[in-house]
Amino acid sequence: MAAPLVLVILVAVTIRAVLFRSSLAAFISERVEVVSPLNSWKRVVEGMALLDLDVSPYSGDVFHETPLIVYLFHFLVDYVEIVYMFTDVLTAVALYLAVKEYNKVSFKQQKLYLELNKYSAGSIDLLRVPTEMHYVPLKVAIFYLLNPYTILSCVAKSTCALNNAIIALFILATVKGSPLLSAVFLSLATYQSLYPITLFTSALLFLLQRQFIPVKMSSRDFWLFTCQYSSLFLGCLTVLICHSFFLLNSWDFIHSIYGFVLSVPDLTPNIGLFWYFFAEMFEHFSLFFVCVFQINVFFYTVPLTIKLKEHPMFLMFVQLAIICIFKSYPTVGDVALYMSLLPMWAHLSRFLRNIFIVSCMLVVCSLLFPVLWHLWIYAGSANSNFFYAITLTFNVGQILLVSDYFYAFLRREYHLHHGLYLTKKDGTEATLVLK
Amino acid sequence: MGLLSDPNRRQALSRIITRLNAPLCVISYLIGVCWFLGLAFQPFTLRTYISENSMGSTMVDEKFINGDRALSYAREFAAHKKSAGGSPVAWLERTMRGIGLEVYTQSFVRNLPFPDEATERFMVKGTNVYGILRAPRAASTESLVLSVPCSEGQNNNQAVGLLLSLASYFRGQIYWAKDIIFLVNEHDLIGMEAWLEGYHDVNVTEIKSSVMMGRAGAIQAALSLEISSDVITSFDVVVEGLNGQLPNLDMVNLFLAFCQKNQLLCTIQGKLQRNDFDTFPGYIHNLQTMMLMVLKQGSARPQGDHGLFLRYHIEAITLRGINSFRQYKYDMVTIGQTIEGMFRKLNNLSERLHQSYFFYLLPSLSRFVSIGIYMPAIGFIILILILRSLDLWIKLSRTEVVTEDGAGDVEQDPRPSILSLATPIVICHATGLSLYYIPVISQEMATDHFPVSESEAVVLIAIAIYVAGLALPHNTHRALTGAGSDQGWMTLKLISLLYLAVQLGCIAVINFSLGFILAVTIVPVAAVVQPGSAKLLYALLLALVTPATTLLGSIFLYRELIEYPVTFLECWQIFLQAIAGGMLDHYLYGSLLFPFIALFVYPCWLQLWNVVFWK
């Protein structure tokens, strides 16, 4: 299995290296779909320049990356293209290993459930088999490395690639069952872009499941482990933030990063939902609506955790998608991360209903972004409404995609426990209706 | 989620799509075409009106009277042009300076990728002369342009004369709030491109030009003038620009308003406006005018010098003086007053023209169709592709899953391998790439070995590659064993249909006319093609709707519409010129038509060709 992975990595690195050398790189790095004010490379360069001049990088309103990133690139600025290619490869390998491990775990779990007779006899067709699972990790790696979104993001040198790598390592650490590393990477991811904090519950549930601790309010082990994990997480986060403080000797970065993420002052168009809405709104309403918009990312954690507490990995996938849809400065790099996990759920394909329409929607929107941008900004003949319409369609497409997978997952679980062929009381075939 | 997740309703929906697919497609095509034809019908169009406030309400009293001076300038210019054998740069500079303008010149050199036989150009060298009239009342932050091409022969001398006499008249007025640039550009579009690139200090084509010394403010609007006779009977307004971009409709409205004020006869596409809108001949007349606009816009060529301004966010139109056999003629005074009036209104602009429409079709000069009304026409035609691909998708997934609800047996039917699908797609795109690159690269080799000129070589190589692409399906299938299955061609057709739909959708937003011309021809055939017994019929149909045939047909239709019909042989000659012209437009001005056809539409069409010959 290692040989195909190496081949894929070689192909992916070649594509990136060619694109880095081509004239397209400059064009791509200016695209609003690929870079946001948070992660654009141009701004990182600006931050480093300010740092060189002994000025706080956060003194202007340009730089919004974390202090660790600016120091990291301070040392690696000469090898930046290699760093980005390496980051992408690292992400892919981490995802590959994580999915491989997860497949093992879920296969074991399936076996256990079968032995405990938890599955209905009629659901034998739905069980996962090793032959089908064998290529899933490779597919995940391919989906990540050869996804045009990832390639664009890497060629634009968007720091989103680094965030993706951290999240991938976090997934790997969680799946491998190491609370310490999991907490470290989760806190790093949170430190980088704040939103991954919503992955906390899924990681916690997964680790609990791995250690066979039941999720019960009355159980002592449960509370002990939760405290342990959260204190690890908070401890790491505190260390990171204090470290940042000592690097720059000021707390400016808190406001400049997290304030910037949460209060959304930069309304440059992007593929998200925020910019148009707040550009159109009267200033004195904006605080209220910023809260309403931001709540979306965090609030869905509660119902989803309750519904999916037996399936933390799927919860994590859904959370990643939700972060990508509702975050304040999304880019295609974020989309690429959760899309690369789609092959993990290939066994749901028979229950997917709108995948064809949704994938058409996403492809069409991705192509219309540059067209309408051209008409709006260069030709001057269209206006922002055209672009926002496509943004909206793109996000609706993503939401339909996630809900389709969610629905398919629930369907499969239901059929596993109740058999594939449902009959009504009078013996005729029954159909499930989601209302 | 009701409709999308309720299995019963979904089943009903998919049943409708599969059972009624053919009638739905036919209906949708008919609606699309009828909608388009209906656009020229008067009740469906809107009356044009000036929506920019600063141009609408102010009264202007034109006082230009130096018509004689314009004609004497014109004669002098003609004499100097003849003796200089090109643009009389020194004389122009002297005269403009004498009028009191700040005069600058800009020289440029452009080597064409291959000789242009239509205008006999290969290595173009020229000089643009322009004079800036500084606004007495503002700080040179905004400007307007009046441009006249210095053409070969006896053309456009009167336009230059009028430009100079207008300049000397404008110089004496105190109300200008924007700088006015008077530009005489040599080698029409090439000179214009050089000047625009120099003015904005960019280099998007490979033109080499001297550094521009003098600039006025940001150009707000531009007017290009072409007059070749001392008196004119009517003015023709030209709107279609590069890549089918159109100026803000307010420019056209402004022109119309002043023509009406001065009782000047004005036309669009060379067609007068008729008053009998409601009669059938009146409708046909409007339809012809609109079709001409669609064909010109679809060609993606700039139809006048104004066409290149549009890319730089500058609203511009070309005015062409026509001298026909009509009795009533207009002299330079009336023409000058019309242009003076337009400039004074443009002078009043307080921001860029943005109020009115940018996407429109003009069935007559005083009526327009906006984007919201014409888009459904192409929408209905693209709907066919979506319906067909949904039908194919349902058929493809039904062979796998027996019951609609997802809970069912999986048939062990081998899916088409990725290789058998990827090969034709990759080969089609490789053919497209070679169609794009090879003709220009290999022209020298062709001229060495064959008795053809360079431009013939380029066109013939392009045609050869185009035709050679048709032979590909046989060769690819020989290489792939066991590729053939029903699922294989269905999947390939599904991909091609979606690909075509995306292409047409994207191009229709940028250039509606081009999208519509392509859609109305390709889509019905793309929807029906399939391998099998009627293979030859489908192949013939496909060959009839290939982009090249569409171009041939469009040329024929165009000549019919301008009442200058051609025989087939002449049409073929024009067709060859049009191919060379289209490629030159791409290399000289950055027109998107040639790469779009070569890299996207043609490969997609080849994929459909592959579907027909699927074994």
Side-chain angles (χ1 to χ4, degrees), chain B residues 318-330:
Chain B
T318 295
L319 302 182
R320 216 164 258 166
I322 309 282
N323 192 16
S324 69
F325 299 111
R326 276 178 190 272
Q327 289 292 311
Y328 200 82
K329 314 259 185 192
Y330 300 94

PDB file of all heavy atoms in Angstrom, chain B residues 318-330:
ATOM      1  N   THR B 318     -18.654  53.923 -30.861  1.00  0.00           N
ATOM      2  CA  THR B 318     -18.135  54.450 -32.125  1.00  0.00           C
ATOM      3  C   THR B 318     -19.303  55.034 -32.903  1.00  0.00           C
ATOM      4  O   THR B 318     -20.365  54.416 -32.979  1.00  0.00           O
ATOM      5  CB  THR B 318     -17.476  53.327 -32.945  1.00  0.00           C
ATOM      6  OG1 THR B 318     -16.341  52.868 -32.239  1.00  0.00           O
ATOM      7  CG2 THR B 318     -17.040  53.837 -34.300  1.00  0.00           C
ATOM      8  N   LEU B 319     -19.093  56.237 -33.482  1.00  0.00           N
ATOM      9  CA  LEU B 319     -20.108  56.844 -34.343  1.00  0.00           C
ATOM     10  C   LEU B 319     -19.568  56.834 -35.759  1.00  0.00           C
ATOM     11  O   LEU B 319     -18.453  57.267 -36.006  1.00  0.00           O
ATOM     12  CB  LEU B 319     -20.394  58.280 -33.906  1.00  0.00           C
ATOM     13  CG  LEU B 319     -20.856  58.437 -32.467  1.00  0.00           C
ATOM     14  CD1 LEU B 319     -21.154  59.889 -32.182  1.00  0.00           C
ATOM     15  CD2 LEU B 319     -22.104  57.604 -32.235  1.00  0.00           C
ATOM     16  N   ARG B 320     -20.369  56.317 -36.666  1.00  0.00           N
ATOM     17  CA  ARG B 320     -19.928  56.171 -38.038  1.00  0.00           C
ATOM     18  C   ARG B 320     -20.846  57.009 -38.904  1.00  0.00           C
ATOM     19  O   ARG B 320     -22.055  56.790 -38.922  1.00  0.00           O
ATOM     20  CB  ARG B 320     -20.041  54.705 -38.409  1.00  0.00           C
ATOM     21  CG  ARG B 320     -18.959  54.207 -39.311  1.00  0.00           C
ATOM     22  CD  ARG B 320     -18.954  52.692 -39.296  1.00  0.00           C
ATOM     23  NE  ARG B 320     -17.886  52.161 -38.461  1.00  0.00           N
ATOM     24  CZ  ARG B 320     -17.825  50.900 -38.056  1.00  0.00           C
ATOM     25  NH1 ARG B 320     -18.792  50.063 -38.349  1.00  0.00           N
ATOM     26  NH2 ARG B 320     -16.805  50.500 -37.327  1.00  0.00           N
ATOM     27  N   GLY B 321     -20.285  57.985 -39.603  1.00  0.00           N
ATOM     28  CA  GLY B 321     -21.104  58.791 -40.514  1.00  0.00           C
ATOM     29  C   GLY B 321     -21.355  58.035 -41.798  1.00  0.00           C
ATOM     30  O   GLY B 321     -20.446  57.458 -42.385  1.00  0.00           O
ATOM     31  N   ILE B 322     -22.614  57.989 -42.228  1.00  0.00           N
ATOM     32  CA  ILE B 322     -22.968  57.261 -43.444  1.00  0.00           C
ATOM     33  C   ILE B 322     -23.434  58.286 -44.484  1.00  0.00           C
ATOM     34  O   ILE B 322     -24.230  59.177 -44.167  1.00  0.00           O
ATOM     35  CB  ILE B 322     -24.132  56.283 -43.173  1.00  0.00           C
ATOM     36  CG1 ILE B 322     -23.833  55.417 -41.947  1.00  0.00           C
ATOM     37  CG2 ILE B 322     -24.432  55.439 -44.398  1.00  0.00           C
ATOM     38  CD1 ILE B 322     -22.905  54.296 -42.158  1.00  0.00           C
ATOM     39  N   ASN B 323     -22.934  58.160 -45.694  1.00  0.00           N
ATOM     40  CA  ASN B 323     -23.408  59.044 -46.759  1.00  0.00           C
ATOM     41  C   ASN B 323     -24.065  58.187 -47.816  1.00  0.00           C
ATOM     42  O   ASN B 323     -23.401  57.521 -48.597  1.00  0.00           O
ATOM     43  CB  ASN B 323     -22.226  59.816 -47.340  1.00  0.00           C
ATOM     44  CG  ASN B 323     -22.693  60.928 -48.234  1.00  0.00           C
ATOM     45  OD1 ASN B 323     -23.867  61.305 -48.191  1.00  0.00           O
ATOM     46  ND2 ASN B 323     -21.801  61.446 -49.055  1.00  0.00           N
ATOM     47  N   SER B 324     -25.384  58.159 -47.823  1.00  0.00           N
ATOM     48  CA  SER B 324     -26.095  57.311 -48.779  1.00  0.00           C
ATOM     49  C   SER B 324     -26.780  58.203 -49.808  1.00  0.00           C
ATOM     50  O   SER B 324     -26.468  59.382 -49.923  1.00  0.00           O
ATOM     51  CB  SER B 324     -27.081  56.426 -48.046  1.00  0.00           C
ATOM     52  OG  SER B 324     -28.114  57.215 -47.524  1.00  0.00           O
ATOM     53  N   PHE B 325     -27.735  57.637 -50.539  1.00  0.00           N
ATOM     54  CA  PHE B 325     -28.339  58.400 -51.626  1.00  0.00           C
ATOM     55  C   PHE B 325     -29.547  59.203 -51.168  1.00  0.00           C
ATOM     56  O   PHE B 325     -30.306  59.688 -51.979  1.00  0.00           O
ATOM     57  CB  PHE B 325     -28.730  57.438 -52.749  1.00  0.00           C
ATOM     58  CG  PHE B 325     -27.535  56.727 -53.302  1.00  0.00           C
ATOM     59  CD1 PHE B 325     -27.354  55.369 -53.087  1.00  0.00           C
ATOM     60  CD2 PHE B 325     -26.573  57.435 -53.997  1.00  0.00           C
ATOM     61  CE1 PHE B 325     -26.243  54.728 -53.580  1.00  0.00           C
ATOM     62  CE2 PHE B 325     -25.454  56.791 -54.489  1.00  0.00           C
ATOM     63  CZ  PHE B 325     -25.287  55.431 -54.278  1.00  0.00           C
ATOM     64  N   ARG B 326     -29.741  59.322 -49.895  1.00  0.00           N
ATOM     65  CA  ARG B 326     -30.886  60.090 -49.428  1.00  0.00           C
ATOM     66  C   ARG B 326     -30.746  61.550 -49.827  1.00  0.00           C
ATOM     67  O   ARG B 326     -29.642  62.068 -49.982  1.00  0.00           O
ATOM     68  CB  ARG B 326     -30.995  60.007 -47.916  1.00  0.00           C
ATOM     69  CG  ARG B 326     -31.720  58.788 -47.444  1.00  0.00           C
ATOM     70  CD  ARG B 326     -31.747  58.751 -45.943  1.00  0.00           C
ATOM     71  NE  ARG B 326     -32.240  57.456 -45.513  1.00  0.00           N
ATOM     72  CZ  ARG B 326     -33.538  57.202 -45.344  1.00  0.00           C
ATOM     73  NH1 ARG B 326     -34.421  58.160 -45.527  1.00  0.00           N
ATOM     74  NH2 ARG B 326     -33.923  56.008 -44.992  1.00  0.00           N
ATOM     75  N   GLN B 327     -31.889  62.196 -49.911  1.00  0.00           N
ATOM     76  CA  GLN B 327     -31.897  63.593 -50.335  1.00  0.00           C
ATOM     77  C   GLN B 327     -31.334  64.507 -49.261  1.00  0.00           C
ATOM     78  O   GLN B 327     -30.530  65.384 -49.512  1.00  0.00           O
ATOM     79  CB  GLN B 327     -33.338  64.024 -50.645  1.00  0.00           C
ATOM     80  CG  GLN B 327     -33.885  63.403 -51.898  1.00  0.00           C
ATOM     81  CD  GLN B 327     -33.164  63.942 -53.126  1.00  0.00           C
ATOM     82  OE1 GLN B 327     -33.002  65.141 -53.280  1.00  0.00           O
ATOM     83  NE2 GLN B 327     -32.715  63.053 -54.002  1.00  0.00           N
ATOM     84  N   TYR B 328     -31.785  64.278 -48.041  1.00  0.00           N
ATOM     85  CA  TYR B 328     -31.488  65.252 -47.001  1.00  0.00           C
ATOM     86  C   TYR B 328     -30.135  64.955 -46.352  1.00  0.00           C
ATOM     87  O   TYR B 328     -29.922  63.880 -45.820  1.00  0.00           O
ATOM     88  CB  TYR B 328     -32.599  65.224 -45.956  1.00  0.00           C
ATOM     89  CG  TYR B 328     -32.623  66.498 -45.154  1.00  0.00           C
ATOM     90  CD1 TYR B 328     -33.267  67.637 -45.668  1.00  0.00           C
ATOM     91  CD2 TYR B 328     -31.975  66.593 -43.940  1.00  0.00           C
ATOM     92  CE1 TYR B 328     -33.253  68.818 -44.965  1.00  0.00           C
ATOM     93  CE2 TYR B 328     -31.961  67.775 -43.235  1.00  0.00           C
ATOM     94  CZ  TYR B 328     -32.602  68.884 -43.745  1.00  0.00           C
ATOM     95  OH  TYR B 328     -32.572  70.052 -43.059  1.00  0.00           O
ATOM     96  N   LYS B 329     -29.226  65.894 -46.425  1.00  0.00           N
ATOM     97  CA  LYS B 329     -27.888  65.663 -45.873  1.00  0.00           C
ATOM     98  C   LYS B 329     -27.645  66.601 -44.695  1.00  0.00           C
ATOM     99  O   LYS B 329     -28.251  67.664 -44.596  1.00  0.00           O
ATOM    100  CB  LYS B 329     -26.826  65.945 -46.939  1.00  0.00           C
ATOM    101  CG  LYS B 329     -27.118  65.337 -48.284  1.00  0.00           C
ATOM    102  CD  LYS B 329     -26.328  64.086 -48.496  1.00  0.00           C
ATOM    103  CE  LYS B 329     -26.549  63.569 -49.908  1.00  0.00           C
ATOM    104  NZ  LYS B 329     -26.051  62.239 -50.135  1.00  0.00           N
ATOM    105  N   TYR B 330     -26.721  66.207 -43.842  1.00  0.00           N
ATOM    106  CA  TYR B 330     -26.349  67.044 -42.699  1.00  0.00           C
ATOM    107  C   TYR B 330     -24.906  67.467 -42.865  1.00  0.00           C
ATOM    108  O   TYR B 330     -24.055  66.666 -43.264  1.00  0.00           O
ATOM    109  CB  TYR B 330     -26.510  66.279 -41.395  1.00  0.00           C
ATOM    110  CG  TYR B 330     -27.913  65.816 -41.173  1.00  0.00           C
ATOM    111  CD1 TYR B 330     -28.306  64.558 -41.559  1.00  0.00           C
ATOM    112  CD2 TYR B 330     -28.853  66.672 -40.601  1.00  0.00           C
ATOM    113  CE1 TYR B 330     -29.590  64.133 -41.402  1.00  0.00           C
ATOM    114  CE2 TYR B 330     -30.152  66.255 -40.447  1.00  0.00           C
ATOM    115  CZ  TYR B 330     -30.518  64.982 -40.831  1.00  0.00           C
ATOM    116  OH  TYR B 330     -31.802  64.577 -40.687  1.00  0.00           O
TER     117      TYR B 330
END
